[in-house]
Amino acid sequence: MTTDEIISSPSTVLLLPGADTWDDPRHKPIIEKATELLECGATVAAICGDTTALAESGVFDERIHTSNSLEYLKMVCPNYKGESYYRDVKAVSDNNLITASSAGGLLFARIILAKIEVFSENPLEAWYNYFNTGDPKYFYILMDTLTY
């Protein structure tokens, strides 16, 4: 799929995977599309290294966000101006922008699943608790909450 084929709609969800290659100019079209999607109310979720491309492009200038650290963003993103919106947490959501550090993968997934309403609250909590703790009791709670 090309960026031109991505529909700009509030129901669109764009997941940007982490990597250390987001400063490559070939990624500019997808960052521009992410900006367009955020402006139309679509959901954009970014984790780890791709948060730098969003920071550098100005997406974080007026939106709550996180990354691997504030110092990291300031070091690798000379145009970053969103310091006052930075939150030192593993993952955070600001309406339709979801961001996470490299350590926040599970919480990132939980926030995305909640946003797109894959589970209702009880199954989502059981799912999160199971994968967060590995305690089998949460697996059985999860299975009990699912309907087939």
Side-chain angles (χ1 to χ4, degrees):
M1 173 177 264
T2 67
T3 54
D4 291 335
E5 295 172 304
I6 299 172
I7 298 168
S8 293
S9 160
S11 63
T12 300
V13 178
L14 177 64
L15 302 175
L16 299 172
D20 62 355
T21 59
W22 281 95
D23 60 348
D24 188 314
R26 69 184 169 155
H27 297 302
K28 187 175 181 186
I30 195 66
I31 297 305
E32 289 171 351
K33 179 57 81 167
T35 301
E36 177 185 317
L37 290 170
L38 287 167
E39 289 171 1
C40 83
T43 298
V44 174
I47 187 169
C48 191
D50 58 313
T51 60
T52 62
L54 295 177
E56 184 65 15
S57 72
V59 168
F60 292 171
D61 289 357
E62 296 183 5
R63 293 176 180 270
I64 294 170
H65 61 277
T66 195
S67 183
N68 293 327
S69 74
L70 179 59
E71 294 73 22
Y72 169 69
L73 287 181
K74 290 167 59 174
M75 178 180 65
V76 300
C77 304
N79 294 316
Y80 174 63
K81 296 175 183 70
E83 186 172 339
S84 64
Y85 293 93
Y86 184 85
R87 300 298 182 265
D88 190 17
V89 294
K90 288 182 182 179
V92 67
S93 176
D94 183 7
N95 296 315
N96 57 332
L97 174 65
I98 302 167
T99 54
S101 73
S102 58
L106 182 60
L107 184 54
F108 181 65
R110 186 204 183 287
I111 294 169
I112 293 167
L113 292 173
K115 178 73 174 173
I116 62 176
E117 299 177 342
V118 170
F119 296 124
S120 62
E121 188 60 29
N122 289 339
L124 180 60
E125 283 305 307
W127 174 89
Y128 179 78
N129 287 332
Y130 175 62
F131 286 100
N132 190 40
T133 67
D135 187 333
K137 77 178 179 185
Y138 294 113
F139 173 79
Y140 294 109
I141 293 170
L142 174 61
M143 291 297 105
D144 285 344
T145 63
L146 299 178
T147 58
Y148 298 96

